[in-house]
Amino acid sequence: GENVEQHPSTLSVQEGDSAVIKCTYSDSASNYFPWYKQELGKGPQLIIDIRSNVGEKKDQRIAVTLNKTAKHFSLHITETQPEDSAVYFCAASPGSHYGGSQGNLIFGKGTKLSVKP
Amino acid sequence: SQTIHQWPATLVQPVGSPLSLECTVEGTSNPNLYWYRQAAGRGLQLLFYSVGIGQISSEVPQNLSASRPQDRQFILSSKKLLLSDSGFYLCAWRGYRDGQETQYFGPGTRLLVL
């Protein structure tokens, strides 16, 4: 089955710097890779996702890159702000199903990002 | 648009008492539904998922059970709570939004068992 490793577990940056969080996955059949941001006491919020037919996707200050050959994907946050402080989770799944367990997301263990003003 | 609701938001229960947490989804039909538990400062543990009414799959053996009496309703239950059941319980739905299949989480229920 799929296994997702996420690094680092904690990350501290100065406001305005960039932050990069990396994930690797084991199942080459995985083709859907979402990223979630979880603020304290709240449910995780989907912030960006990428599918395997795309190598990079950008939405304002956040971007995700995917390297299918190496089976890793990364979240990039530029010009970080204090409100970016949160726990970030990556996930992977063979997303082309509808119904059944084979589409269930496998999550990384999370990265706690702290942005210092 | 699709929304997901969970209640209660916070719950304090004594050991040995029963539990019922409810999750409902609006604006979509036949979603996959999920229950996750998150211990303090930890990752997301998948407890149950459901691909349709009455269809429940359990990922880990435990003191909890789940039911899906209606298409957009998912209930997490226990007959007798344990201290170890404390945590943050998250419901999620997976389905199509804007033509793309993806997964969204609810606001969560914080459960403290004393």
Side-chain angles (χ1 to χ4, degrees):
Chain A
E2 177 65 279
N3 182 51
V4 176
E5 299 284 341
Q6 183 172 347
H7 299 281
S9 57
T10 60
L11 179 60
S12 182
V13 300
Q14 288 294 133
E15 182 177 0
D17 288 350
S18 295
V20 180
I21 302 171
K22 299 180 179 181
C23 289
T24 60
Y25 61 100
S26 60
D27 189 348
S28 57
S30 288
N31 59 9
Y32 174 59
F33 309 91
W35 285 89
Y36 293 85
K37 174 184 179 182
Q38 186 178 27
E39 298 176 340
L40 193 62
K42 298 184 178 180
Q45 297 296 308
L46 178 69
I47 57 173
I48 196 168
D49 57 11
I50 192 168
R51 298 173 198 272
S52 59
N53 58 345
V54 175
E56 182 175 358
K57 185 176 179 180
K58 190 173 182 180
D59 183 3
Q60 299 182 357
R61 295 187 298 107
I62 61 173
V64 57
T65 59
L66 171 65
N67 184 325
K68 287 178 59 180
T69 302
K71 289 190 282 188
H72 67 71
F73 56 112
S74 301
L75 178 71
H76 304 253
I77 307 174
T78 59
E79 300 173 24
T80 54
Q81 302 168 4
E83 51 265 38
D84 294 328
S85 296
V87 178
Y88 291 81
F89 290 97
C90 65
S93 91
S96 61
H97 92 298
Y98 192 67
S101 66
Q102 59 269 39
N104 288 352
L105 291 177
I106 305 300
F107 286 87
K109 294 187 182 302
T111 296
K112 184 176 182 180
L113 174 64
S114 299
V115 181
K116 298 180 179 180
Chain B
S1 64
Q2 300 92 342
T3 55
I4 179 169
H5 304 278
Q6 286 186 245
W7 63 88
T10 305
L11 191 59
V12 181
Q13 291 285 95
V15 169
S17 63
L19 173 74
S20 180
L21 302 181
E22 189 164 344
C23 170
T24 59
V25 182
E26 297 176 357
T28 185
S29 59
N30 196 32
N32 281 14
L33 295 174
Y34 304 85
W35 278 112
Y36 291 84
R37 176 168 58 201
Q38 189 175 32
R42 305 291 290 276
L44 301 162
Q45 180 188 32
L46 179 61
L47 301 176
F48 300 96
Y49 68 93
S50 172
V51 301
I53 295 173
Q55 300 178 65
I56 308 294
S57 296
S58 175
E59 287 292 296
V60 294
Q62 59 200 304
N63 184 43
L64 303 169
S65 62
S67 61
R68 185 169 177 177
Q70 301 179 43
D71 181 46
R72 286 169 286 179
Q73 183 184 32
F74 205 21
I75 298 173
L76 184 68
S77 303
S78 174
K79 293 182 179 178
K80 289 186 178 182
L81 283 169
L82 306 173
L83 287 173
S84 57
D85 291 325
S86 294
F88 193 45
Y89 288 83
L90 291 157
C91 181
W93 71 274
R94 184 177 174 97
Y96 286 90
R97 176 182 277 187
D98 299 328
Q100 296 274 18
E101 186 185 12
T102 192
Q103 181 168 316
Y104 295 91
F105 285 87
T109 294
R110 186 160 303 282
L111 172 66
L112 180 60
V113 182
L114 300 175

